[in-house]
């Protein structure tokens, strides 16, 4: 019955946007749930069928949800071992989107080892700010090595990227741009992004300024974060006691001094256009177990505590002596559960 109410609430959100607030309240008790893939497919089919003969809101600003209650729940329930990211992302994004005239884009830079949750948090933001999540016309994702692979075509990439940002902002009053592997972006692309992140003077004060969020996801600084966390734990501190100011200065120093990437030497860093550098902490054994549990639940599969332990023990942990941090974070967990299916 609860799941049926959740499906009904989501369907109402899709085809009758004006009723979405009431629909979200009906499904509020299940904010941390993910619908099974098959259920999502049925919902898509039903929505398409209804919209084939009725006027529906298909794209643009009418598909913006800004479900901050859902975002808070998802960050608390589904994100593991990242208390710094959880608090800072929720506070900054909510505060920014609630300001009528923000003046500039909000730029957040996520740093940490692979598998610690950077892409996952970006997806949670898209899912809770837009009804279509990453598929929204107001959300654009760029992967450096995929979308900008050839240095000789950088002029063309810069022109295309600038054009896509402007077109998206014209189409949507609220936009989200995600740059994965940000440390691999060409210096020319980073400089081209500068004007979009800089302070903007609204042309007409009576018109609400467009709101744009830039997310930069990078492995840069991961070793510095891990070393700082290891030192704090060895000093008999607890993970939850780690404060932002204990990590960010060292993280920013490494980014600025890095010679392998142009990110730290770009205008984004030198001109302080990045609003917050957010460290993602290395994941421990207990967090990997929780990721394994979530992987079973997301596929609607039963699990045992023994299976979670076995999956967690399959991962490689570092440093060699302490064996504290998972070298892959939670990556490849979903593939590993196949070994434990009947």
């Amino acid at each position: 019955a609860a799941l049926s109410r959740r499906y009904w609430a989501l369907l109402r959100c899709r085809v009758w946007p004006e009723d979405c607030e009431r629909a979200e309240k009906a499904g509020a008790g299940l904010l941390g749930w993910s619908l099974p893939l098959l259920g999502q497919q049925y919902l898509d089919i039903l929505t398409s069928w209804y919209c084939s003969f009725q006027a529906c809101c298909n794209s643009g600003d009418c598909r913006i949800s800004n479900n901050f209650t859902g975002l808070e729940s998802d960050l608390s329930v589904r994100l593991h071992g990242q208390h710094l990211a959880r608090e800072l992302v929720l506070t900054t994004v909510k505060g920014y989107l609630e300001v009528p005239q923000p003046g500039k884009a909000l730029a957040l830079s996520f740093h940490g080892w692979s598998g610690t949750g950077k892409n996952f948090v970006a997806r949670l933001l898209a899912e809770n700010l837009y009804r279509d999540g990453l598929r929204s016309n107001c959300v654009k994702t760029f992967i450096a090595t995929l979308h900008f692979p050839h240095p000789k075509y950088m002029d063309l990439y810069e022109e295309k990227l600038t054009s896509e940002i402007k077109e998206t902002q014209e189409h949507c009053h609220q936009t989200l741009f995600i740059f994965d592997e940000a440390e691999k972006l060409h210096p020319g692309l980073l400089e081209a992004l500068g004007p979009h992140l800089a302070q903007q003077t609204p042309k007409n004060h009576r018109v609400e300024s467009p709101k744009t969020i830039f997310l930069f996801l990078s492995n840069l600084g991961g070793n510095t974060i891990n070393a700082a966390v290891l030192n704090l734990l060895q000093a008999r501190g607890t993970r939850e006691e780690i404060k932002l100011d204990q990590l960010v200065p060292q993280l920013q120093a490494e980014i600025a001094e890095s010679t392998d990437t142009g990110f730290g030497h770009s205008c984004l860093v030198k001109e302080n256009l990045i609003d917050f550098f957010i460290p993602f902490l290395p994941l421990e054994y207990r967090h990997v177990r929780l990721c394994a549990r979530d992987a079973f639940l997301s596929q609607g599969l039963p699990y045992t505590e023994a299976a979670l332990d076995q999956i967690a023990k399959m991962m490689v942990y570092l440093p060699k002596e302490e064996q504290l941090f998972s070298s892959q974070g939670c990556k490849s967990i979903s593939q590993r559960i196949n070994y434990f299916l009947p």
Side-chain angles (χ1 to χ4, degrees):
L3 188 58
S4 296
R5 287 197 299 273
R6 179 61 168 161
Y7 277 122
W8 174 240
L10 289 173
L11 178 63
R12 290 178 65 183
C13 260
R14 291 191 179 194
V15 300
W16 300 300
E18 66 278 5
D19 290 340
C20 192
E21 272 190 42
R22 283 173 286 172
E24 283 175 350
K25 288 177 182 176
L30 301 169
L31 287 170
W33 286 26
S34 290
L35 294 178
L37 179 59
L38 186 61
Q40 286 281 13
Q41 291 171 344
Y42 283 141
L43 191 60
D44 290 341
I45 292 169
L46 183 58
T47 303
S48 299
W49 171 78
Y50 179 86
C51 292
S52 65
F53 58 89
Q54 290 286 340
C56 288
C57 172
N58 294 317
S59 63
D61 288 345
C62 61
R63 303 292 294 172
I64 295 172
S65 57
N66 287 347
N67 182 5
F68 298 122
T69 304
L71 178 61
E72 182 177 11
S73 175
D74 280 346
L75 291 173
S76 299
V77 175
R78 302 172 62 191
L79 179 67
H80 306 302
Q82 304 298 349
H83 66 285
L84 296 177
R86 181 179 68 240
E87 295 165 6
L88 194 54
V89 167
L90 179 64
T91 303
T92 55
V93 170
K94 186 174 185 289
Y96 174 77
L97 294 178
E98 289 180 343
V99 174
Q101 300 282 353
K104 73 177 289 292
L106 173 66
L108 304 178
S109 195
F110 296 171
H111 295 268
W113 263 5
S114 178
T116 51
K118 301 185 298 294
N119 278 282
F120 185 59
V121 171
R123 179 160 65 85
L124 292 180
L125 274 173
E127 289 175 353
N128 285 286
L129 298 183
Y130 303 90
R131 294 174 193 162
D132 302 312
L134 291 171
R135 295 180 300 172
S136 171
N137 293 331
C138 303
V139 178
K140 302 295 177 184
T141 301
F142 304 95
I143 303 173
T145 53
L146 178 64
H147 293 92
F148 318 111
H150 303 295
K152 63 180 179 179
Y153 297 131
M154 279 305 144
D155 289 342
L156 180 62
Y157 293 152
E158 288 176 31
E159 183 181 343
K160 188 175 180 181
L161 177 61
T162 301
S163 174
E164 189 157 1
I165 290 175
K166 288 181 179 178
E167 287 176 8
T168 307
Q169 288 176 326
E170 289 171 3
H171 178 70
C172 301
H173 189 262
Q174 177 183 305
T175 53
L176 174 64
F177 298 101
I178 303 169
F179 292 86
D180 198 2
E181 302 179 349
E183 75 279 5
K184 298 176 183 177
L185 287 170
H186 189 274
L189 289 174
L190 292 168
E191 296 305 313
L193 288 172
H196 298 285
L197 275 70
Q199 191 80 22
Q200 301 291 330
T201 303
K203 297 178 182 178
N204 185 347
H205 290 283
R206 295 182 181 179
V207 179
E208 192 174 342
S209 298
K211 297 173 182 176
T212 303
I213 300 175
F214 285 89
L215 299 183
F216 298 94
L217 319 183
S218 173
N219 294 341
L220 189 63
N223 291 335
T224 294
I225 295 169
N226 294 358
V229 173
L230 180 61
N231 290 336
L232 290 167
L233 294 180
Q234 288 176 335
R236 299 197 175 183
T238 64
R239 184 187 187 92
E240 288 68 27
E241 291 175 339
I242 298 174
K243 304 294 184 185
L244 206 61
D245 57 10
Q246 295 174 296
L247 299 179
V248 170
Q250 299 172 58
L251 171 61
Q252 288 184 276
E254 182 185 340
I255 293 171
E257 294 167 7
S258 175
T259 57
D260 299 331
T261 170
F263 188 78
H265 305 285
S266 69
C267 65
L268 306 187
V269 175
K270 287 188 173 182
E271 297 178 18
N272 299 313
L273 299 179
I274 303 291
D275 295 292
F276 293 96
F277 292 88
I278 303 180
F280 280 69
L281 311 184
L283 299 184
E284 301 171 36
Y285 179 90
R286 57 190 168 118
H287 304 124
V288 175
R289 284 185 89 260
L290 291 172
C291 289
R293 181 205 64 186
D294 291 351
F296 278 106
L297 292 175
S298 67
Q299 298 186 40
L301 299 171
Y303 66 88
T304 64
E305 295 298 320
L308 300 185
D309 282 322
Q310 284 181 278
I311 293 173
K313 288 174 182 176
M314 292 170 70
M315 309 299 284
V316 177
Y317 294 87
L318 298 171
K320 191 174 181 180
E321 298 77 18
E322 288 88 350
Q323 298 279 298
L324 282 176
F325 307 136
S326 170
S327 63
Q328 291 179 282
C330 283
K331 275 195 173 178
S332 78
I333 287 290
S334 58
Q335 287 80 20
R336 293 173 189 268
I337 68 174
N338 294 325
Y339 292 104
F340 300 89
L341 299 180

